């Protein structure tokens, strides 16, 4: 169920499509990494998390941990689920900060009630619409997934699931099973008039009927440059929340400190920490 930054083509179950070679190629593709980061950022934004405390999030179809990287950068904790052993192996090699679980979410979310403050999923849920085995019933697998996800989320929290529906029928099936499981909410569509930038986010509320956020690019054309500025300048300057620039010395020190608080072994800080290295030829 590895999340991806591209529209998936159904070539069999994800645990077979994402073998070791595909998993590594996927994670090393700079274009995929950029898109994945942008969609993760948007999904976390739609969660509407409190700014005064860290939260525990579930990442469904976490893949090699690209979306989890953004969650960690924001100061939150996460647990990732994926059906692809190869993708999770890459995540382990990358030393992601979240905990990882090999599992088929079509069998349900195996966590205690109310454990998570929110859930994101990038390009993964549409895989549940495929019947890869004779025993697979897409409506039943979707219902099982949404029922157990609803239970695992704290009351008042949200799940934001970015997906690539193949058609309107698939979109209706996914939404209907979510509502049947008890969720409220609906679809947030960013840039609905753009063939390339259009993105679907299923924004679900647990135990409350919140106001559905507006999609980007739905009011006027001037919003498009604003989003480009927001996503691109975040990597070059300190953002509006005062967080450190990615890969800077401050960012590295903050990440190391988080890992120490989690009880992980981290190299000591020195004057060389975060220094820029000369390019290799």
């Amino acid at each position: 169920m590895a999340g991806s930054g591209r529209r998936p083509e159904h070539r069999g179950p994800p645990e077979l499509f994402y073998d070791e070679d595909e998993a590594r190629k996927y994670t090393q593709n700079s274009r995929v990494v950029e898109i994945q980061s942008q969609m993760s950022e948007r999904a976390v934004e739609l969660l509407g998390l409190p700014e005064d405390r860290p939260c525990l999030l579930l990442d469904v179809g976490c893949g090699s941990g690209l979306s989890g990287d953004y969650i960690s950068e924001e100061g939150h904790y996460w647990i990732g689920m994926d059906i692809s052993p190869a993708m999770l192996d890459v995540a382990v090699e990358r030393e992601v900060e979240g905990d990882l679980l090999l599992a088929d979410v079509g069998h349900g979310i195996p966590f205690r009630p109310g454990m998570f403050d929110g859930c994101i999923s990038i390009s993964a849920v549409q895989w549940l619409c495929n019947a890869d085995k004779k025993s697979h019933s897409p409506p039943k697998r979707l219902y099982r997934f949404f029922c157990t996800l609803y239970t695992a989320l704290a009351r008042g929290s949200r799940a934001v699931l970015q997906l690539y529906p193949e058609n309107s029928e698939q979109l209706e099936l996914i939404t209907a099973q979510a509502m049947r499981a008890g969720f409220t909410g609906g679809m947030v569509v960013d840039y609905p008039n753009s063939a390339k930038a259009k993105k679907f986010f299923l924004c679900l509320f647990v135990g409350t009927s919140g106001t559905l956020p507006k999609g980007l690019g739905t009011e006027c054309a001037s919003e498009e440059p604003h989003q480009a500025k927001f996503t691109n300048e975040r990597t070059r300057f300190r953002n509006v929340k005062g967080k450190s620039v990615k890969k800077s010395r401050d960012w590295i020190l903050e990440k190391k400190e988080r890992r120490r608080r989690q009880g992980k072994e981290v190299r000591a800080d020195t004057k060389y920490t975060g220094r820029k290295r000369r390019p290799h030829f």
Side-chain angles (χ1 to χ4, degrees):
M1 184 99 38
S4 76
R6 60 189 175 187
R7 185 177 296 275
E9 298 177 11
H10 181 46
R11 307 179 192 174
E15 67 270 30
L16 297 181
F17 176 68
Y18 290 108
D19 58 18
E20 291 184 11
D21 290 338
E22 282 290 334
R24 283 185 172 78
K25 278 194 291 185
Y26 166 88
T27 308
Q28 294 168 359
N29 186 312
S30 59
R31 176 61 177 159
V32 168
V33 172
E34 178 187 1
I35 295 174
Q36 186 88 357
S37 178
Q38 291 175 358
M39 292 193 297
S40 301
E41 183 172 354
R42 177 62 170 150
V44 172
E45 176 189 348
L46 290 172
L47 284 179
L49 298 172
E51 296 186 6
D52 58 346
R53 63 178 177 85
C55 296
L56 176 62
L57 305 181
L58 176 65
D59 186 354
V60 171
C62 65
S64 56
L66 296 177
S67 48
D69 286 345
Y70 180 77
I71 295 174
S72 296
E73 287 173 27
E74 291 295 291
H76 301 298
Y77 302 98
W78 59 279
I79 296 176
M81 297 178 64
D82 205 281
I83 198 173
S84 169
M87 277 291 195
L88 293 179
D89 285 344
V90 174
V92 172
E93 291 175 8
R94 295 179 61 244
E95 298 183 344
V96 297
E97 295 186 27
D99 293 319
L100 305 170
L101 176 65
L102 176 65
D104 178 356
V105 298
H107 294 160
I109 305 298
F111 295 101
R112 63 178 173 80
M115 179 170 173
F116 296 98
D117 300 306
C119 169
I120 70 165
S121 179
I122 307 298
S123 313
V125 175
Q126 71 275 345
W127 288 97
L128 290 174
C129 294
N130 301 323
D132 296 314
K133 299 178 181 178
K134 288 184 179 180
S135 60
H136 282 182
S137 166
K140 290 182 179 179
R141 283 168 59 76
L142 282 164
Y143 182 64
R144 176 68 177 168
F145 163 64
F146 283 119
C147 276
T148 52
L149 176 61
Y150 187 94
T151 300
L153 289 170
R155 303 306 91 172
S157 63
R158 299 181 186 181
V160 176
L161 316 174
Q162 185 275 326
L163 48 90
Y164 287 113
E166 291 184 359
N167 47 51
S168 59
E169 289 79 12
Q170 196 176 84
L171 200 60
E172 290 172 9
L173 172 63
I174 294 172
T175 305
Q177 297 306 87
M179 302 306 163
R180 184 182 167 210
F183 286 103
T184 56
M187 196 65 64
V188 175
V189 184
D190 285 353
Y191 305 109
N193 299 318
S194 171
K196 290 185 178 181
K198 187 175 183 179
K199 292 290 184 298
F200 292 89
F201 294 87
L202 183 58
C203 188
L204 303 172
F205 304 101
V206 182
T208 59
S209 297
T211 303
L212 202 62
K214 291 184 178 181
L216 299 175
T218 56
E219 294 179 357
C220 59
S222 63
E223 286 196 40
E224 185 104 28
H226 174 73
Q227 194 224 19
K229 178 181 179 182
F230 176 69
T231 55
N232 291 338
E233 290 191 358
R234 182 177 60 84
T235 61
R236 294 201 299 271
F237 309 102
R238 294 183 73 87
N239 64 21
V240 291
K241 295 180 183 178
K243 291 188 171 63
S244 300
V245 181
K246 188 173 183 180
K247 304 299 183 184
S248 69
R249 176 180 169 82
D250 288 341
W251 180 87
I252 292 171
L253 291 174
E254 289 168 7
K255 182 173 181 179
K256 290 172 74 173
E257 185 58 34
R258 285 200 307 272
R259 293 175 72 87
R260 290 191 185 101
R261 289 198 300 267
Q262 294 170 6
K264 298 181 179 179
E265 187 175 339
V266 181
R267 289 183 179 179
D269 300 334
T270 72
K271 64 180 181 179
Y272 300 110
T273 300
R275 67 173 177 173
K276 293 185 178 181
R277 300 179 182 273
R278 294 179 179 178
H280 294 286
F281 294 97

